[in-house]
Amino acid sequence: EAGVAQSPRYKIIEKRQSVAFWCNPISGHATLYWYQQILGQGPKLLIQFQNNGVVDDSQLPKDRFSAERLKGVDSTLKIQPAKLEDSAVYLCASSLNEKLFFGSGTQLSVL
Amino acid sequence: ELKVEQNPLFLSMQEGKNYTIYCNYSTTSDRLYWYRQDPGKSLESLFVLLSNGAVKQEGRLMASLDTKARLSTLHITAAVHDLSATYFCAVVNNDYKLSFGAGTTVTVRA
């Protein structure tokens, strides 16, 4: 069974630039999550989709972050413009029933 | 807001000895997860605990859940070097939102 695919694996940008991350969940998984994991901390939920609808985006900084899930499958997370404090690993996860599967993440460094 | 607290945050283990990691959470939940994360890697699911009194074991790891005390434990038996990693617990609230603890970084020494 293929896992959750994310790209790119690493990204280095300067502050005020824009960046986008892509996630392809496990086939058939209706629920998709984006998490932000800052070094030394636990993952923090940014946004949760059920099919192509948003279930929870209460912790998404909407002035600079946006996410979409077209056709209820792939998802993209965008940051525009990036700040230094956005340096983190961005993890995508998908679930069917109670088990979550995480992708390998995108490590973002904002200089 | 659901708060999840783990302790200890850092744990230095001696090979062959037994240790326990604790996970407390602040509001009612009927689902708790344990994950393992190696440096630079993603999260690997270890256990899903779905009911009060649930106990699951895999190799040297055993997890349990007490929903009344809002407490889960991850017990490590006879620690070995390849158990060195960071362990996270995560709890689902009534809105199906998964909240993570800060993690417990485990180092196993000879």
Side-chain angles (χ1 to χ4, degrees):
Chain A
E1 178 183 87
V4 177
Q6 288 189 248
S7 66
R9 186 74 178 90
Y10 302 93
K11 191 74 178 177
I12 301 174
I13 61 172
E14 294 186 349
K15 60 184 180 184
R16 292 188 288 273
Q17 286 188 320
S18 301
V19 64
F21 314 127
W22 174 81
C23 173
N24 182 249
I26 294 172
S27 178
H29 283 197
T31 309
L32 184 147
Y33 310 79
W34 282 102
Y35 282 86
Q36 180 193 58
Q37 186 177 20
I38 293 172
L39 187 64
Q41 299 181 17
K44 182 185 86 172
L45 179 68
L46 293 175
I47 189 166
Q48 177 180 341
F49 292 94
Q50 182 74 18
N51 296 310
N52 60 350
V54 175
V55 173
D56 185 340
D57 63 357
S58 58
Q59 296 193 87
L60 188 73
K62 298 180 187 63
D63 58 333
R64 298 184 301 106
F65 286 65
S66 64
E68 59 181 8
R69 190 181 183 195
L70 299 175
K71 302 180 182 178
V73 183
D74 292 9
S75 178
T76 56
L77 176 69
K78 296 180 182 177
I79 307 175
Q80 182 180 11
K83 292 186 176 181
L84 296 176
E85 60 260 36
D86 297 332
S87 294
V89 175
Y90 291 84
L91 294 164
C92 179
S94 68
S95 71
L96 183 67
N97 301 320
E98 70 271 0
K99 198 165 183 182
L100 266 73
F101 297 85
F102 283 84
S104 55
T106 296
Q107 185 172 330
L108 174 67
S109 298
V110 182
L111 307 177
Chain B
E1 181 187 339
L2 175 59
K3 294 191 186 306
V4 182
E5 292 187 354
Q6 286 183 238
N7 70 85
L9 297 182
F10 298 92
L11 187 51
S12 179
M13 299 185 182
Q14 189 172 353
E15 276 186 342
K17 295 198 172 179
N18 303 332
Y19 297 87
T20 301
I21 300 171
Y22 298 89
C23 175
N24 290 90
Y25 53 96
S26 60
T27 63
T28 302
S29 175
D30 59 1
R31 200 189 313 170
L32 187 141
Y33 298 79
W34 283 98
Y35 287 91
R36 169 183 171 142
Q37 187 175 40
D38 292 290
K41 306 289 187 181
S42 191
L43 285 88
E44 173 191 353
S45 178
L46 295 175
F47 302 108
V48 182
L49 302 169
L50 299 176
S51 61
N52 187 42
V55 177
K56 290 194 174 180
Q57 183 164 6
E58 181 75 32
R60 299 176 187 275
L61 302 179
M62 183 174 73
S64 64
L65 178 61
D66 181 344
T67 58
K68 293 178 182 178
R70 298 176 184 168
L71 170 68
S72 179
T73 59
L74 180 66
H75 188 73
I76 299 170
T77 301
V80 292
H81 184 263
D82 64 7
L83 291 179
S84 296
T86 298
Y87 294 84
F88 291 95
C89 67
V91 181
V92 175
N93 70 1
N94 291 337
D95 295 329
Y96 303 102
K97 179 177 168 181
L98 188 64
S99 296
F100 281 80
T104 297
T105 299
V106 168
T107 304
V108 181
R109 64 189 191 281

